Amino acid sequence: MSSDYIHLNLFTMNSVEHVTTGNWRTPGDQSHRYTDVEYWLDVARTAERGGFDAVFFADVRGIYDVFGGDSDTAIENAVQTPANDPQALVPAMATVTDNLGFAVTRSTTYVHPYQLARELSTLDHVTDGRVAFNIVTSYLESAARNLGLDERMDRQTRYDRADEFMDVCHRLWEESWEDDAVVRDRESGVYTDPEKVSDIDFEGEYFSVPDAHSCEPSPQRTPVLYQAGSSDRGRDFAANNAEAVFVSQPTEEGVRDYVADLRERAEARGRDPDELRFFPGIVPVVGETEDVAREKYETYAENVDYEATLALLAGFTDIDFSELDPDQKVEHIETDAIQGAVNAFTQNDPDRDWTVGEVAEFAGLGSTSPVVVGSPEQVADELQYWYEEVGVDGFNVKEVVRPGTLRDFVDMVVPELRERGLVRDEYEGETLRENLFEEEGRTRLAADHPAWN
Ligand SMILES: Cc1cc2nc3c(=O)[nH]c(=O)nc-3n(C[C@H](O)[C@H](O)[C@H](O)COP(=O)(O)O)c2cc1C
């Protein structure tokens, strides 16, 4: 770890079920209120009360139509469908908070960088610099089909395009407008000095963007860059771009290896390896006592839906689980979907053979992340261990019931962690980057970031 304390993101989605299944049925669950902005305002207030860095919105394009084109399983069980656009929630959530950040997932495969750069500059303006861009390349065939492609691009092409995409964004965000371009001089009648606004003259294989950015510089200029590449190619992309990395490994060994590997790749690119922040996912199930927590866990585990979980996982991995017997071992494949999701159950722990049934049971509560069950002290112990011994910077808190998982965590675990000096009492700055790097005034992308080269 390179942070002075544990950083927290709420990992959520503008939908009913994200990386759990079946728990929309759990009494008290309010995930159906994802269409109600009041629900999200409450989430924002709670996360800020808990000192979270950000609410991190996952997002997908397409429907999980994964068993030979069957989308009914996903639709019936609310597997990331229905899902609304997360970006629209951010201005409202920013209005009721002062320091909380907002990470929005956007796909480099289905958006144009000139358009996306403008959208994120706008969000960075209206939030006073509290926005992050979770860069993804998208993995569902149905996204490709509905967004103008005959088939999904292969991984290599998706990441090549993403490299160029980020190059365009960097020039628009960082190089097009000088800091003092806007003069707002009433006497001379000059609002912006055209000499200080430059065309970027970008001509690449995928994009041609000749002109200047149409937004004036926002507080962070480049939003904080989040990424979660898990394949070899994806890890290179993360090392080139990410300031915060989402780790998706179910075992301690897997997390250690991933963090060490990414730090090495970053260093090889001239970056200070300690400047990357690592966030594994965790699913906290906490109760006033261990017994209460165990009872909650039993209910949640019972509500997991086998078919829905396999539909979710089939989307992540391209493995058609409907063809497989629950007792069958999951075999390793190379996939153009999310390689890390396959590796999690086939490679990360060489001593363990996962069967389809075991995978479905495990992944129904948080996909590839460990579930931590216990009293506030026990959960805090576990997080402290991961932070101090495994070397992560914080956690993506994944929800089982909404907003119950977040509330339990903020009301029970955060006070315990604060008592140990492990979660902030106050934010360092106003922008997300200042808070993520614990440094007031650090609003801009680091000088050793490869984007500058
Ligand atoms: C923890 C984690 C979270 C992710 N969240 C999203 C997401 O919200 N939306 C999305 O389209 N892809 C998401 N992805 C997919 C990746 O960002 C990436 O595009 C995909 O995994 C393919 O590359 P890879 O095989 O290198 O990981 C996520 C992956 C991981 C590991």
Side-chain angles (χ1 to χ4, degrees), residues 280-353:
I282 50 141
V283 186
V285 180
V286 57
E288 291 76 8
T289 63
E290 184 178 347
D291 284 348
V292 175
R294 295 241 154 259
E295 238 172 75
K296 282 187 190 177
Y297 174 79
E298 292 307 326
T299 306
Y300 299 164
E302 257 168 45
N303 282 339
V304 164
D305 187 284
Y306 180 82
E307 292 291 329
T309 307
L310 292 184
L312 180 70
L313 283 177
F316 288 172
T317 61
D318 275 354
I319 297 173
D320 184 355
F321 289 100
S322 68
E323 296 287 311
L324 305 179
D325 190 86
D327 297 324
Q328 211 168 327
K329 180 186 163 197
V330 179
E331 301 288 348
H332 183 76
I333 60 161
E334 292 297 317
T335 177
D336 266 343
I338 305 180
Q339 192 61 51
V342 177
N343 298 356
F345 301 111
T346 58
Q347 281 192 336
N348 291 354
D349 184 353
D351 299 329
R352 169 137 196 208
D353 284 341

Side-chain angles (χ1 to χ4, degrees), residues 163-443:
D163 279 340
E164 205 177 292
F165 189 106
M166 294 310 297
D167 209 357
V168 175
C169 286
H170 179 76
R171 293 186 198 195
L172 291 170
W173 285 327
E174 300 287 350
E175 293 173 9
S176 185
W177 287 58
E178 293 181 31
D179 284 339
D180 54 356
V182 175
V183 289
R184 267 195 306 271
D185 186 341
R186 283 200 164 87
E187 267 173 36
S188 64
V190 175
Y191 195 88
T192 303
D193 179 353
E195 295 289 313
K196 298 192 169 176
V197 179
S198 317
D199 293 345
I200 66 165
D201 291 328
F202 189 93
E203 191 60 57
E205 192 181 339
Y206 301 93
F207 306 108
S208 165
V209 183
D211 295 346
H213 193 26
S214 57
C215 303
E216 66 178 276
S218 66
Q220 298 184 114
R221 282 187 176 249
T222 299
V224 174
L225 301 175
Y226 284 23
Q227 217 270 333
S230 55
S231 62
D232 187 50
R233 183 69 179 83
R235 290 175 187 218
D236 277 343
F237 184 81
N240 267 329
N241 290 283
E243 297 176 271
V245 182
F246 295 111
V247 186
S248 186
Q249 313 278 342
T251 63
E252 183 181 322
E253 205 48 37
V255 174
R256 281 183 194 276
D257 289 350
Y258 183 87
V259 171
D261 181 51
L262 250 276
R263 286 204 200 282
E264 225 170 83
R265 288 178 199 239
E267 198 165 15
R269 286 163 173 79
R271 300 181 73 181
D272 177 349
D274 289 337
E275 290 293 278
L276 269 75
R277 297 284 188 253
F278 289 95
F279 294 87
I282 50 141
V283 186
V285 180
V286 57
E288 291 76 8
T289 63
E290 184 178 347
D291 284 348
V292 175
R294 295 241 154 259
E295 238 172 75
K296 282 187 190 177
Y297 174 79
E298 292 307 326
T299 306
Y300 299 164
E302 257 168 45
N303 282 339
V304 164
D305 187 284
Y306 180 82
E307 292 291 329
T309 307
L310 292 184
L312 180 70
L313 283 177
F316 288 172
T317 61
D318 275 354
I319 297 173
D320 184 355
F321 289 100
S322 68
E323 296 287 311
L324 305 179
D325 190 86
D327 297 324
Q328 211 168 327
K329 180 186 163 197
V330 179
E331 301 288 348
H332 183 76
I333 60 161
E334 292 297 317
T335 177
D336 266 343
I338 305 180
Q339 192 61 51
V342 177
N343 298 356
F345 301 111
T346 58
Q347 281 192 336
N348 291 354
D349 184 353
D351 299 329
R352 169 137 196 208
D353 284 341
W354 289 81
T355 66
V356 172
E358 286 168 340
V359 166
E361 201 180 312
F362 179 85
L365 290 180
S367 68
T368 51
S369 299
V371 183
V372 184
V373 187
S375 65
E377 296 75 24
Q378 288 170 317
V379 174
D381 285 349
E382 186 75 13
L383 301 194
Q384 185 168 0
Y385 172 79
W386 280 74
Y387 168 70
E388 288 178 350
E389 305 300 325
V390 184
V392 301
D393 296 283
F395 301 92
N396 270 341
V397 175
K398 295 184 171 181
E399 305 160 289
V400 180
V401 288
R402 293 160 65 179
T405 303
L406 173 64
R407 282 211 187 129
D408 285 353
F409 188 85
V410 168
D411 290 338
M412 293 192 263
V413 182
V414 168
E416 180 63 32
L417 289 170
R418 279 194 170 131
E419 222 161 83
R420 302 180 191 190
L422 288 173
V423 163
R424 61 160 63 93
D425 291 315
E426 282 178 20
Y427 289 88
E428 288 80 358
E430 290 181 357
T431 65
L432 176 55
R433 190 171 278 112
E434 288 170 287
N435 291 321
L436 180 65
F437 291 102
E438 304 166 357
E439 193 181 327
E440 198 183 351
R442 179 167 170 183
T443 53

Side-chain angles (χ1 to χ4, degrees), residues 27-91:
D29 179 79
Q30 295 182 32
S31 53
H32 61 281
R33 289 184 57 218
Y34 77 97
T35 55
D36 174 0
V37 74
E38 290 295 333
Y39 168 83
W40 291 106
L41 300 186
D42 193 40
V43 166
R45 291 187 191 103
T46 308
E48 188 164 77
R49 185 158 58 79
F52 280 51
D53 284 49
V55 172
F56 168 25
F57 283 107
D59 194 32
V60 284
R61 310 313 312 271
I63 295 180
Y64 285 70
D65 60 342
V66 284
F67 301 144
D70 158 36
S71 56
D72 290 358
T73 308
I75 290 172
E76 188 174 304
N77 294 287
V79 176
Q80 299 193 355
T81 305
N84 283 349
D85 190 320
Q87 234 172 230
L89 296 171
V90 172

Side-chain angles (χ1 to χ4, degrees), residues 58-59 105 136-137 139 155 158-159 228-231 234 248 337-339:
D59 194 32
T105 295
V136 300
T137 62
Y139 48 85
R155 168 179 290 101
R158 293 202 313 262
Y159 275 117
S230 55
S231 62
S248 186
I338 305 180
Q339 192 61 51

